[in-house]
Structure formats: structure tokens, C-alpha cells
Amino acid sequence: MKLNERERKAIELLYVEMHDQLFRCARLMLNSNSLAEEAVQEAFRIACGKPESLLSSENPHGWMMLTLLNTAKNMRRSVQKLNDLVLYVGEYWEPADGAEIELDLALQYDGVVSKEDFHLLYLVAVEGYSILEAAQQVGLSMEACKKRIQRAKKKLRDKIKGTL
Amino acid sequence: MSIQGRKEADFSIYDQMETSLLEERLRQLVDSAEEKESDLDAVLYITEVLARRDRENVTEEHMDVQASWASFQEHYLPLADREGSIYDFDEDPELDKREAPLSFLHANVERFHRSLRGVTAAVVVVVCMLAASATASAFGFDIWTVIVNWTSETFDFSVADVRGSYGEDVPEQLCELKQAIIENGFAAEHILPTYLPKGYGEGTVEVRSDEHSTDIICMLPGESGNIILQYRVGEEDPSHSTFEKDLTDPDMYKVDGMTHYIMTNMDQYEAAWLTNGVECAIYGVETKDEIIKMIDSLYGG
């Protein structure tokens, strides 16, 4: 669904007006500038998916703030789950030294997870990268980055259930 | 203050409060803001005070809003139609299944793992399907039914019998592939491209056979990634491959009356087509133009 010009303008105005306070709130919840920025942008992405709901609200500022709070909580929860998973398989990898993570061959070459996918998962789960930052670091789109992390998570989780 | 519902509440107490105390109060309020409107109002007020202080003090927390809006339009706005959060890493149970206008039957599914290491293209999932009734004349079969399905994340069709001849003048990098195709009896036209994008080395070929099917896979190494060509012919229980793809629907590209399905997976282009019982696929191509050239070259273009 594409925004019409009126919706786009209204959301832009709201973005400029509320960005700093939303960012401030997210920063407090996520302890990271890049994650806070991603939370704000994600909240507005959600808003752009349902502009009529936002713009017809009696309290659009409240609407955006609630969306931001939910987004930040969701991010916190998701990253924590990824972190738990990565630490659980900790015996199979060594922390990154420079650019390289040492990934045990048992995971990599049993076809469980590729080194590239694990690297992305590591960046977000352990290093605290936002999805945008992780995507930009390896030259992927955000969607591709998310899919790879999703894939790595599933494969590691399946492996844990199976044989670890 | 700009929002409605705050006329009766007086939050001016927060105006002079120390920043650290405001932050502490904010932490207390963020969980209850969803249930209590007054707490939401307080959150809005406090964050506005904190943001104003950041702007006045030009602290590190202050981000350039115009740059942020530009980034939003570039990276996040294109994803506005996506359901759910970008941080939702659990599997998506919702499949948007669509069927092409050919006849259909489903059979068993089995998983197929790519055997080539270090390749960046999609994982191929093999699905076994039995075809029954006829619309196969377009493909030159006797009694095959071709099913073309795609979901939000996968694409597949079934395989039938093999007839035909194969292309001449294939690039040097594909000589071993051509040999493998001949030796395994994959005699069909329009399966070997005569055009390859620049920068790819000689192909490494692997042949895998079991009681269900024979697969020939050729990997062409390149600097920024690998291109894979894959061919499959089913035996008595023919099988077909399912490809991972991005959420957008495949494009149908017709040449010489033959339909080729072009799709993306993680920013790379894939193509799949069925010809005389050989299921063909190319993946790992960087641009749509290049994959179209490869497809055109199957027909002398």
C-alpha cells in the first residue's frame, strides 16, 4: 500500500515533530543509539503500513508513542532470545577477533549454519548491531539480512533440539 | 503541549527535575503507559522535556532529524507493506499460496540439501510430486501434469520426461556441464545457456543420483558470489525442486512460447523453467538483465 501525498506529508510532519522524543525514549529502553534509531524508524514503518489508523486517531502522538514502546520492547525481547541462543551454542564458536568469528566446523560443515549467516546473527545478537547496520556491513538489503538471521536461528534451534 | 487528553494533567513538575530523575521516572512509566492514559501522557511530556534538553545541550543523543527522515525513506518506508516487525525472527506460519493455471496434484515432500560448500545461492528443497492428467502437450509429455506453485517464500514445479537435443556453442566454463548432461541422458533443448555474465570461472560439476531422480549441479565461481546451474530429471517417482525466494511474486518471462520464472532471493536473481522433462534452474545472478540474457541465449538470442 503506497501512501498518498496527504498521508506522506502528515507522517513526515509527525516524524520531524516527534523523532527526538521517541528516540530519547527508545534510547533509554535499548541503551544504544543505533537500536533506538531503528526502533523509531520501525515504529514509523508500522505507521506507514496503517496510515488511516494513525491519522484518524484522536491522539496521534500517543499512537506513535505506544507503537514505539511496543516496538522497543519487541526488539529487546527478540535480541535477548537471539543472544540466549548464540550463547547456548557457545562451545561451537569463538568470539570475533577483528572481522572473523571462529565457527566450529561441526556447525558450519554439517550444513547447520553458514559462516555468513552466523556472522549476521552474531552481529545482532551479541554485538548489538541494528538490522540496518548489520545489513550495511555485509552489503545486503534489510530484508535479506533478516531472512538470513531467521534462517540461522531456525537451524541452530533445530540443531539444539536434535543433537547438541 | 500538543496532544489531547492532557488538558487536565499538570506535568510541569517535570520541567525542573534533574535529567537522571526524569529518566528513572520514564523507566517506571513505560510499562504502564499502555494501560493508563495518564501514564502515556506523562511519558510524552517527559520525553519532550528530555529531547528539548538534548537539543539545547547538543548532546551525543541528538540525531539530525532530516538525515533520519532521509534514511527512513530509503531503508524502512519500502518495507511498509510487510506484516509484523523486522525483529520477528520466528518462522512465518502464514503462506500465501498461489497456483499457476495448470492442473494439479500433490505428493510427498522430501528435503534436499545442496552439496556444494560455500555457495551463496538458495537452499533447494526437493518436493516429490506425481502428475496425472494431461496438459503436458506444451511440454512434449504423454501424461504429465505440471504444477507451478509459489508461496510467499518458495517456488516450485514438478518434472516430467526427457526428450530433445541440447544447445551448441556453450561457453568454455560450461563444457564439463555439457558433458555431464550428455552422459546422464539429459537430452533436451534449451537447457544450456550460451551467455554467461563476465567474471565467472570454470564450473565445478557434481552429479547426484538416487532411485527418485538425477541431479546435475554446476557451480561457477565468481568474485562477488557464485552462479549455480541445476538440472533435475525424475525417475519413476519424479521429484521437483522448491526454491527459496523473497516475498515478491515471480516474473513470468516468455521466450519462444516457453515460460521462465524469474524471482529474487536475498538480493540475487534466480530463474526456473521446465523443458521436455528437465527441471532447470539458475541462481546467484546479480542483475535481472544478466539473467534475462542467459535465458535469451537458450534460444539463440
Side-chain angles (χ1 to χ4, degrees):
Chain A
M1 179 208 301
K2 278 201 129 172
L3 296 175
N4 63 40
E5 194 51 35
R6 183 191 68 84
E7 288 166 341
R8 192 185 183 90
K9 206 67 198 156
I11 290 176
E12 182 180 356
L13 284 172
L14 202 56
Y15 191 103
V16 171
E17 186 185 353
M18 290 198 75
H19 172 274
D20 288 355
Q21 70 186 113
L22 294 174
F23 176 83
R24 203 47 167 85
C25 188
R27 176 80 171 71
L28 196 78
M29 294 173 74
L30 298 168
N31 293 316
S32 154
N33 281 349
S34 60
L35 290 179
E37 182 63 19
E38 183 140 90
V40 173
Q41 301 210 5
E42 172 68 356
F44 274 97
R45 181 192 72 81
I46 292 168
C48 289
K50 41 183 98 171
E52 66 291 335
S53 174
L54 166 64
L55 298 175
S56 64
S57 164
E58 282 185 1
N59 185 358
H61 292 78
W63 196 104
M64 278 311 310
M65 183 55 79
L66 280 178
T67 303
L68 183 277
L69 293 177
N70 285 329
T71 299
K73 286 177 191 172
N74 184 47
M75 281 172 66
R76 200 164 51 186
R77 203 164 35 233
S78 291
V79 171
Q80 187 59 56
K81 277 190 191 175
L82 291 182
N83 187 271
D84 291 345
L85 178 66
V86 171
L87 293 181
Y88 191 92
V89 296
E91 65 185 282
Y92 289 87
W93 60 270
E94 292 290 326
D97 179 16
E100 283 290 309
I101 298 169
E102 278 298 314
L103 185 62
D104 192 288
L105 295 180
L107 280 186
Q108 190 178 355
Y109 292 111
D110 275 350
V112 174
V113 65
S114 74
K115 200 169 178 181
E116 293 78 16
D117 287 2
F118 187 85
H119 179 64
L120 285 169
L121 176 64
Y122 178 89
L123 286 178
V124 172
V126 178
E127 292 286 325
Y129 277 52
S130 66
I131 292 183
L132 178 62
E133 282 179 321
Q136 286 176 330
Q137 197 192 70
V138 300
L140 290 176
S141 66
M142 284 182 65
E143 193 173 342
C145 179
K146 179 201 165 161
K147 282 188 80 175
R148 288 199 180 206
I149 294 171
Q150 197 169 22
R151 183 169 69 185
K153 180 191 174 189
K154 181 182 185 312
K155 289 187 175 182
L156 283 175
R157 203 171 53 193
D158 289 347
K159 181 72 175 174
I160 287 169
K161 280 184 200 164
T163 59
L164 279 181
Chain B
M1 296 298 175
S2 55
I3 65 167
Q4 294 178 13
R6 296 165 77 178
K7 290 174 188 165
E8 295 172 9
D10 179 10
F11 297 107
S12 58
I13 186 174
Y14 295 125
D15 291 341
Q16 306 304 321
M17 195 177 281
E18 272 189 33
T19 297
S20 58
L21 291 175
L22 283 177
E23 288 175 344
E24 190 50 45
R25 182 68 183 130
L26 189 56
R27 283 193 186 92
Q28 293 166 359
L29 288 168
V30 292
D31 286 325
S32 57
E34 285 175 78
E35 282 90 41
K36 286 175 70 176
E37 193 177 345
S38 57
D39 285 357
L40 177 60
D41 291 345
V43 166
L44 284 162
Y45 196 101
I46 292 171
T47 51
E48 210 170 312
V49 170
L50 289 170
R52 189 167 56 242
R53 289 181 189 179
D54 290 342
R55 283 191 293 270
E56 286 165 1
N57 297 327
V58 196
T59 61
E60 63 163 316
E61 280 83 10
H62 183 240
M63 306 282 287
D64 178 73
V65 178
Q66 292 303 329
S68 173
W69 173 247
S71 170
F72 170 75
Q73 290 180 94
E74 183 184 350
H75 299 294
Y76 293 83
L77 185 57
L79 305 176
D81 287 339
R82 301 289 181 258
E83 289 289 328
S85 164
I86 58 170
Y87 276 79
D88 187 0
F89 298 114
D90 292 324
E91 285 178 71
D92 183 0
E94 298 290 330
L95 293 178
D96 179 26
K97 204 166 204 157
R98 301 179 198 185
E99 293 174 331
L102 298 169
S103 55
F104 309 76
L105 268 182
H106 283 281
N108 302 320
V109 175
E110 71 181 24
R111 211 149 187 72
F112 171 72
H113 283 282
R114 240 180 324 115
S115 60
L116 298 173
R117 308 288 187 204
V119 177
T120 57
V123 171
V124 174
V125 176
V126 170
V127 181
C128 288
M129 298 183 69
L130 282 175
S133 53
T135 4
S137 58
F139 299 92
F141 315 137
D142 291 331
I143 41 164
W144 295 104
T145 298
V146 175
I147 298 173
V148 180
N149 287 314
W150 66 83
T151 70
S152 58
E153 293 189 327
T154 60
F155 174 90
D156 61 81
F157 48 40
S158 68
V159 178
D161 207 355
V162 181
R163 296 289 180 270
S165 62
Y166 25 89
E168 301 298 330
D169 301 326
V170 296
E172 212 174 285
Q173 298 99 313
L174 299 183
C175 286
E176 195 180 331
L177 173 63
K178 182 178 173 181
Q179 195 57 33
I181 285 174
I182 296 170
E183 284 169 5
N184 286 277
F186 280 34
E189 284 183 294
H190 313 307
I191 64 174
L192 279 175
T194 55
Y195 170 84
L196 286 178
K198 287 189 174 56
Y200 290 88
E202 199 174 310
T204 307
V205 175
E206 183 165 330
V207 179
R208 293 169 59 105
S209 281
D210 59 25
E211 65 271 23
H212 301 299
S213 61
T214 299
D215 291 90
I216 300 175
I217 303 165
C218 175
M219 184 186 78
L220 301 164
E223 269 185 26
S224 54
N226 306 316
I227 287 179
I228 291 182
L229 294 107
Q230 180 163 353
Y231 305 92
R232 164 170 280 228
V233 169
E235 303 295 342
E236 289 181 9
D237 291 319
S239 50
H240 75 252
S241 303
T242 299
F243 309 92
E244 269 188 17
K245 64 172 194 58
D246 294 334
L247 295 175
T248 47
D249 290 342
D251 289 334
M252 286 187 270
Y253 181 69
K254 278 198 167 176
V255 184
D256 264 16
M258 183 72 69
T259 302
H260 308 76
Y261 297 88
I262 297 176
M263 57 210 122
T264 59
N265 185 47
M266 294 188 284
D267 296 343
Q268 292 182 321
Y269 284 87
E270 304 176 341
W273 70 102
L274 193 55
T275 178
N276 285 337
V278 183
E279 185 180 310
C280 310
I282 302 172
Y283 41 88
V285 180
E286 289 194 5
T287 69
K288 192 171 182 180
D289 278 346
E290 292 283 31
I291 207 163
I292 285 178
K293 281 182 186 169
M294 290 178 77
I295 293 170
D296 286 344
S297 76
L298 298 168
Y299 305 90

